[in-house]
Amino acid sequence: MAELDADLDHIIPSSLLPPVWAKLVVGFVSLLCFARSYDGDFVFDDSEAIVNNKDLRAETPLADLWLHDFWGSRLSSNTSHKSYRPLAVLTFRLPVSSAAQTCYAPSSFCCLSSATVERSEKGLNAVFDILVIGKFNVLEIVHKVLHKDKSLGSISVLRNGALLFRMALLISGGAAVLYVRWKIMGTGPPAFTEVDNPASFADSVWVRAINYNYYYSLNAWLLLCPWWLCFDWSMGCIPLIKSFGDWRVIALAALWLCLIGLIHQALCSEDSHRRRILTLGLGFLIIPFLPASNLFFRVGFVVAERVLYLPSVGYCVLLTCGFGALSRQTKKKKLIAAVVLGILVTNVLRCVTRSSEWRSEDQLFGSALSVCPLNAKVFWERKSCFLSFQVGETEALKVHYNIGKNLADKGNQTAAIRYYREAVRLNPKYVHAMNNLGNILKERNELQEAEELLSLAVQIQPDFAAAWMNLGIVQNSLKRFEAAEQSYRTAIKHRRKYPDCYYNLGRLYADLNRHVDALNAWRNATVLKPEHSLAWNNMIILLDSTGNLAQAEAVGREALELIPNDHSLMFSLANVLGKAQKYKESEALFLKAIKANPNAASYHGNLAVLYHRWGHLSLAKKHYEISLQLDPGASGTKENYSLLRRKLGQMQKKDV
């Protein structure tokens, strides 16, 4: 064991500081890097991954986390992004620090190091296990294979039963995990579009190969110089290389020259320790990056800085090896130390700056525009609109926030439209920008252009369920009811579990006086989404307006059991109970609704009507007056208040 410890220290030198102090220094530097963003807003993917993710709610069974993707959708769904990170979602759900969400692999590496030093037979990292623990000599194997040496079977690694067992355990375990994941995700890859990864849709194999390699060089440059950082590198951020005359092919040549040089040293260096550490570094650099390389399957991004997290371990190993070799070749060791310290300080400062950019969406998207001015996705927004009891949804394959959302949320629709138009100009096939622009135009009652944009979006992407639904809303507003129904049906065809679409379909049927169909559609919405307050409310209102008070009361009570704190449901049920002359219970619900939302003029106005019918005229007068203070233009309340005042005047004359 002492021999192994010494060998490990030679390959991966231990800290010069005592372990406790080393951990404190690393912890302090990490805190320094990210302290500026600890109290920042939920930005970009956070909204869908955390704020709106139903898997983080207490009522969602923990077992569902293993069947859902990162965003809370079923992995087997054809709309799922197939991002399977159940442990990360679990840490979001549990009250632990966010730092725990990115430590799985280095934790696994430390466990492996401890386990192998203690002669445990449970290996977790093949590269480290073979090269460092097993002392695998790549050069020796290559020589014996090339010369057909009969002593190939006598190599110590191949005769190491413990190592072979660990490798067999690792391979079989990995294969089992991949098989289970493949089954859970529905045995099919995610469906991406050209805007997510343009190179993967290129017709020419050579164009694909050149651009993939250019992406690799960009990733390598981001490791070396993480200055140009962007939250999303798709949507035209990196134009395709279409010929060898493009100067960017120089980056490909530089990347492969460096890699070939490193591989040559890893195979042919006379120093066996150097060979192993270079091979270890290259293994950590390349192997974790392979799933993001487009070699085995299409990925949904061009460049994603998150995929460099594990490769950065290999980068650090190679950088340390390089500076160590340089230090041994020169007498200016202080200069080398100063350069290393300068690199560390520079990267810490860059990390502090980048961390502050993630404090808010304004800062994040502003930083993205300076890096990728051609990125259409920077202008994209995701926004749910509930206007006139109609639901408009914007959705993307990688559920994101952007500048348009901030502008729309602040009520600056004019500026938001300008950003959306620019996004569509940059990428004329950007269906999500068309969908969002169509939504805002719909809100501004610019229905003709909204219909044109949404129609174009579904022509480009026929399975875009959200755009079909939004098109149906616009067509409904244009009184084109048959076309609207067909659009809603098409949306449901492409997304069977679509409660908002069933809700809007119910609104269409209600407009056509197809009351039974409307109730059925709203019931479907509440089955799929029991907390769909608008669907419950509309069922109560429709049953109330058609004189079915008993049914309306039953539906209202059912809804409040599921959503007990929804004041709009309290208000609707209180109206029904008042008509059924259940005054006391109706009063209690009205007061509870007003307590939850004291500035709703209609709540006070309808409570006043209840008191008026009930004969509590002074209370009726009080709430009529409050209602008119909140909404002086409410004609119905004015009329009822006038009737009450005449009645009170007549009573006073009678008393006199």
Side-chain angles (χ1 to χ4, degrees), residues 403-447:
I403 289 177
K405 173 187 177 300
N406 293 334
L407 293 169
D409 287 346
K410 295 172 182 176
N412 193 348
Q413 290 187 336
T414 302
I417 289 174
R418 187 170 66 251
Y419 276 102
Y420 287 144
R421 292 195 191 281
E422 177 66 8
V424 174
R425 186 191 68 81
L426 290 170
N427 191 332
K429 293 184 178 180
Y430 190 11
V431 293
H432 307 297
M434 296 175 189
N435 183 41
N436 298 338
L437 178 56
N439 270 335
I440 288 193
L441 293 173
K442 168 175 62 67
E443 294 172 23
R444 294 162 67 97
N445 206 36
E446 298 177 30
L447 300 178

Side-chain angles (χ1 to χ4, degrees), residues 26-27 53 107 128 147 157 182 215 217 296 336 349 411 467 509 515 572 593:
V26 172
N53 191 341
S107 290
F128 181 79
H147 294 88
V157 171
W182 188 253
Y215 298 162
S217 65
F296 307 109
I336 299 298
L349 293 175
Y509 290 146
H515 295 159
S572 297

